[in-house]
Amino acid sequence: MFFLEALVPGQEVTLNVFEAKYKVLVRRCLSGSRKFLMMTNEDSNEEHYLEDLEDDDATAAVSRGVADGYGLTDVDLAQFGRFCAECQIVTCQELVDGRFLVRIRAMRHVFVHSAVKDPSGFIVARCSRVRDEIDADLSVLDNRSFKDDSELRKANAAAVKLELRIDRVLELFDVWVAMTIGPRWLYNYGGSMSQLLQAVGPSPRRESPSDLAWWIVRVLNPLPTIDGTIEMRSICLNTSHIDTRFQVIAQMLIYSLSLVQRINVRDWTKREHVVAVSVCNELFAVLSESPSDAAGDLRRERLVEDIYELLCDVDFIEHEAYEGLRICPPGYEDPQGVAAKSFLLEKSKRPDPSKQTDSKKAQSEQTKWSDYPPPVFDAVMDRLIWEHGYGALALAAWRALSDYECGDPKLKRWNERLLAHCPSSINVGTRVKDTNELLRLSRKFSKCLRRDMRCGFYKFLYLFDLCRMLVYLVYRVLVLVIFALGFLFELAFDREFHGGHRTAARGLFMAVAIGAASGLFARSSLDAYLGRVRSE
């Protein structure tokens, strides 16, 4: 184990290895599998790591800031400090002074079961690969290895939940890409977002959610680093559930835009789409949970009625793209011969309206759910709920809302209407009041971020930025004063302005002379004042 920095799968970094124990580690890796584990020093102290992990149930010590931050993102700390990355040596060069320049690449996400200390001084661990928990449910759909309908419905519900989480992250990621511009945030990449994306590499397909999540984290926290986002690699490594990881990424994107870049939510690009997908994300939990009382059953019934009305208000039904995805109940005869629309497919599979012919456009504009008899719509919704659960209605609502343009007043009205059904995560038992409360932009997290600037996954240093700005201002003022004094010197003696190093040297000479004369004058004035005080 190498204790230095949190790396996520796919990241590469060059290490300057100079400690004796780690030089032995590199030599041992080069003679074997060329692999070792990389653990961050900020979350787990190497000196106390063995004491913290005495058995399989123990966890590493957690600081106050890390505990507060993880609690605000709903991440479980039961196995904190046991997750890290398995790295492989790509290239290695031994220098004449014994140091190693090692280029490594993080390959896999691993879980540490136990650890012992090697005689050479470093820690050796027994670990296993982390397999994202939801992937097991999704593999049921891929392999069609389900035993009964209940297992299939469970897998479908997991797929629906993941689709909604991915859509929310991608919407927020698009906003972050559009708003994070200029050398202020991307100074290591020439102020260009395209250079950053080119350095990270192409985006994986959304059919591989684990790879997509790690790719987004690599963009948000790249190496070399940027100042536009909160450090989230450590907290993402400490999550073994892909659904939780996407939730963390979405929340960190919100915090980065609002608390780091200080961009007000109303100034975001695609703001209404972000609000829509966030509302549907909260409504998914409301629909998925079984009501415990009659009041809860009534609230869900009202929400379902609003979603049904929204779906009937969809501009068009792309039924031609879903002929093989009929979701009407078995034995039901469709009087209109309509292939029911599946609301659960990603936007990338939707036909491009710009490529449709005029006749197809006219046909699609006239094709609405409200144009068909209510039994057809009710049958489709019953089949949708039976196969994918009530939570599928939240994803169906988002698919419908995503068809609207961001500036469409109808989208804003639907957002406000559905927002009234969202429960508040801050005040339990109440409803969300505004967009900031929906996005969990609470004062508690803002205070935590300012109090623990270096804890866990908070690395954005406001104090560092302030000092850098003050140093820059002082530097510019000094340069201006020195050149002004040099110009006055040349104006008084040479009658010619030379510029460049000569003017700067003469200005510096003048500044030193004036400073020395001012110091002597102040000293003499102070001595005269003290003399008068003593005589009195």
Side-chain angles (χ1 to χ4, degrees):
M1 297 187 70
F2 197 111
F3 284 78
L4 183 63
E5 188 174 7
L7 297 180
V8 298
Q11 277 192 322
E12 292 190 8
V13 67
T14 301
L15 304 178
N16 178 20
V17 183
F18 57 87
E19 293 188 51
K21 60 180 179 181
Y22 289 138
K23 289 194 289 186
V24 176
L25 183 149
V26 171
R27 290 191 179 95
R28 189 173 299 180
C29 291
L30 291 174
S31 62
S33 63
R34 302 175 70 91
K35 297 179 180 179
F36 60 91
L37 302 183
M38 176 70 78
M39 176 71 74
T40 173
N41 258 332
E42 296 183 0
D43 289 347
S44 303
N45 192 332
E46 182 178 4
E47 298 179 357
H48 305 290
Y49 191 73
L50 294 178
E51 301 176 3
D52 295 334
L53 271 65
E54 294 179 354
D55 51 54
D56 290 346
D57 296 329
T59 58
V62 181
S63 65
R64 177 189 173 189
V66 173
D68 291 346
Y70 277 54
L72 290 168
T73 51
D74 300 330
V75 176
D76 189 10
L77 287 171
Q79 295 178 329
F80 176 79
R82 289 185 171 271
F83 294 95
C84 58
E86 181 189 62
C87 301
Q88 184 172 13
I89 298 178
V90 180
T91 59
C92 180
Q93 179 183 3
E94 185 175 4
L95 304 180
V96 293
D97 57 358
R99 293 181 293 116
F100 284 95
L101 291 180
V102 185
R103 184 70 176 179
I104 63 172
R105 178 181 177 85
M107 304 299 295
R108 297 191 301 179
H109 187 203
V110 299
F111 177 80
V112 176
H113 295 279
S114 61
V116 296
K117 195 165 187 178
D118 190 83
S120 300
F122 56 85
I123 294 177
V124 179
R126 181 175 61 87
C127 63
S128 62
R129 182 179 180 181
V130 175
R131 300 193 179 273
D132 296 322
E133 296 176 14
I134 202 170
D135 288 351
D137 296 333
L138 294 180
S139 62
V140 173
L141 293 177
D142 297 336
N143 303 329
R144 299 186 179 276
S145 58
F146 46 88
K147 299 178 182 179
D148 51 20
D149 290 342
S150 62
E151 188 175 353
L152 175 60
R153 289 196 294 270
K154 181 181 178 181
N156 285 335
V160 168
K161 185 178 182 180
L162 184 60
E163 280 291 321
L164 190 55
R165 299 291 193 266
I166 293 175
D167 282 344
R168 185 172 185 237
V169 168
L170 292 180
E171 289 294 326
L172 287 165
F173 182 74
D174 290 342
V175 175
W176 181 84
V177 169
M179 306 296 286
T180 307
I181 55 176
R184 170 64 183 86
W185 310 113
L186 305 172
Y187 55 88
N188 282 324
Y189 298 91
S192 173
M193 180 59 70
S194 60
Q195 291 189 18
L196 171 59
L197 297 176
Q198 184 177 4
V200 175
S203 170
R205 298 176 61 86
R206 60 186 299 152
E207 286 78 4
S208 303
S210 296
D211 296 337
L212 179 62
W214 292 128
W215 179 84
I216 294 175
V217 174
R218 292 199 302 270
V219 175
L220 300 176
N221 297 138
L223 294 174
T225 185
I226 61 175
D227 284 343
T229 50
I230 300 174
E231 177 63 38
M232 68 184 75
R233 288 176 296 177
S234 175
I235 189 173
C236 289
L237 284 174
N238 279 280
T239 57
S240 60
H241 204 287
I242 186 64
D243 175 67
T244 306
R245 192 174 304 141
F246 274 109
Q247 284 283 75
V248 168
I249 294 173
Q251 201 59 42
M252 288 301 165
L253 279 168
I254 293 172
Y255 290 151
S256 298
L257 287 168
S258 300
L259 302 178
V260 175
Q261 300 190 29
R262 303 302 181 94
I263 304 174
N264 197 295
V265 177
R266 63 172 176 267
D267 297 328
W268 290 3
T269 61
K270 302 179 66 176
R271 172 186 176 274
E272 292 300 331
H273 280 166
V274 171
V275 173
V277 71
S278 299
V279 167
C280 295
N281 182 68
E282 296 297 329
L283 295 181
F284 180 90
V286 176
L287 292 167
S288 299
E289 296 177 356
S290 300
S292 57
D293 53 3
D297 197 3
L298 180 60
R299 286 195 298 268
R300 187 165 77 170
E301 184 178 350
R302 291 175 179 173
L303 173 58
V304 171
E305 290 177 356
D306 285 347
I307 293 178
Y308 279 8
E309 184 178 347
L310 167 63
L311 299 182
C312 289
D313 198 33
V314 176
D315 289 339
F316 57 87
I317 302 174
E318 301 154 352
H319 55 80
E320 294 182 358
Y322 307 104
E323 291 181 356
L325 298 169
R326 297 173 60 90
I327 54 179
C328 293
Y332 177 81
E333 296 182 0
D334 187 350
Q336 301 292 333
V338 178
K341 177 180 179 180
S342 171
F343 294 94
L344 306 178
L345 294 182
E346 55 270 26
K347 300 176 186 177
S348 58
K349 294 185 179 180
R350 296 184 177 184
D352 187 359
S354 62
K355 297 181 181 180
Q356 296 179 352
T357 61
D358 294 338
S359 60
K360 288 185 177 180
K361 284 184 179 180
Q363 180 183 3
S364 64
E365 290 176 356
Q366 297 176 357
T367 307
K368 295 184 179 181
W369 280 120
S370 57
D371 297 336
Y372 296 101
V376 176
F377 179 80
D378 293 339
V380 170
M381 292 297 105
D382 291 342
R383 183 68 175 184
L384 180 68
I385 295 172
W386 182 82
E387 285 191 350
H388 302 275
Y390 269 99
L393 294 178
L395 184 57
W398 160 239
R399 295 301 188 215
L401 292 173
S402 64
D403 285 335
Y404 293 110
E405 294 293 335
C406 193
D408 195 331
K410 188 180 294 186
L411 173 60
K412 186 175 181 180
R413 288 196 299 269
W414 274 115
N415 282 340
E416 295 175 352
R417 184 171 175 178
L418 295 177
L419 188 65
H421 296 281
C422 295
S424 174
S425 59
I426 301 175
N427 301 318
V428 181
T430 62
R431 298 294 171 185
V432 172
K433 297 179 180 179
D434 53 16
T435 304
N436 286 344
E437 189 174 350
L438 171 70
L439 301 178
R440 297 188 179 184
L441 289 172
S442 62
R443 295 181 180 179
K444 184 178 179 182
F445 187 89
S446 181
K447 292 179 180 178
C448 178
L449 181 66
R450 290 179 175 85
R451 186 190 69 224
D452 300 288
M453 291 182 295
R454 293 288 295 179
C455 72
F457 49 91
Y458 314 135
K459 281 189 174 180
F460 189 85
L461 303 179
Y462 290 102
L463 184 60
F464 172 75
D465 286 341
L466 179 61
C467 293
R468 186 169 60 180
M469 182 183 67
L470 292 177
V471 169
Y472 178 77
L473 291 176
V474 171
Y475 165 74
R476 299 303 299 179
V477 170
L478 287 177
V479 169
L480 180 62
V481 170
I482 287 174
F483 270 91
L485 292 175
F487 174 74
L488 292 175
F489 180 89
E490 293 175 347
L491 186 64
F493 296 98
D494 285 356
R495 304 294 182 178
E496 182 180 356
F497 178 69
H498 297 281
H501 297 291
R502 181 180 298 179
T503 301
R506 291 178 173 177
L508 184 61
F509 171 77
M510 289 286 292
V512 172
I514 294 174
S518 300
L520 292 175
F521 176 76
R523 179 63 182 273
S524 62
S525 301
L526 180 62
D527 291 340
Y529 174 74
L530 293 177
R532 287 197 303 270
V533 171
R534 292 193 190 98
S535 62
E536 293 177 357

